[in-house]
Amino acid sequence: MEVNGKSLEAIAKDIADGFFVLNPLTVKLLEAQHYKPFHAALRKIMNFIRAEGFPSHDVNAIRKRNSRLQRVHSAISVLENLSKEKKIKLL
């Protein structure tokens, strides 16, 4: 599936890297049928980030990893809350 010419996985990766911010205004770009696959793509990116080796002695790498996780987590929270308001099942 694509939104504005980009796949949902690419948008999820852009969110993790900080190139795109998901907030209630930007979710309006998504149609109701895109919510569930986009949620799955965000969860997949989060699992991928968590599966990477933890950089225990590199403070900057830890900060970068945690920032990526925080961005994805906040995007998932926004998507889940808006889907709850619109009564769209994600899981």
Side-chain angles (χ1 to χ4, degrees), residues 19-43:
F19 299 122
F20 186 78
V21 177
L22 192 71
N23 57 38
L25 295 176
T26 58
V27 173
K28 289 183 180 182
L29 298 173
L30 296 174
E31 296 177 13
Q33 71 222 21
H34 293 128
Y35 276 48
K36 192 170 186 175
F38 188 52
H39 185 261
L42 287 169
R43 300 289 270 188

Side-chain angles (χ1 to χ4, degrees), residues 6-74:
K6 287 188 91 172
S7 70
L8 297 175
E9 290 80 15
I11 295 172
K13 189 172 182 327
D14 285 349
I15 289 171
D17 293 334
F19 299 122
F20 186 78
V21 177
L22 192 71
N23 57 38
L25 295 176
T26 58
V27 173
K28 289 183 180 182
L29 298 173
L30 296 174
E31 296 177 13
Q33 71 222 21
H34 293 128
Y35 276 48
K36 192 170 186 175
F38 188 52
H39 185 261
L42 287 169
R43 300 289 270 188
K44 184 177 177 182
I45 291 291
M46 181 177 274
N47 288 337
F48 178 76
I49 294 169
R50 286 184 175 158
E52 292 174 346
F54 186 78
S56 58
H57 298 296
D58 187 2
V59 176
N60 288 329
I62 294 171
R63 184 176 293 132
K64 182 179 176 184
R65 178 183 184 270
N66 289 340
S67 295
R68 292 180 78 204
L69 284 172
Q70 184 178 5
R71 285 187 216 107
V72 174
H73 178 73
S74 66

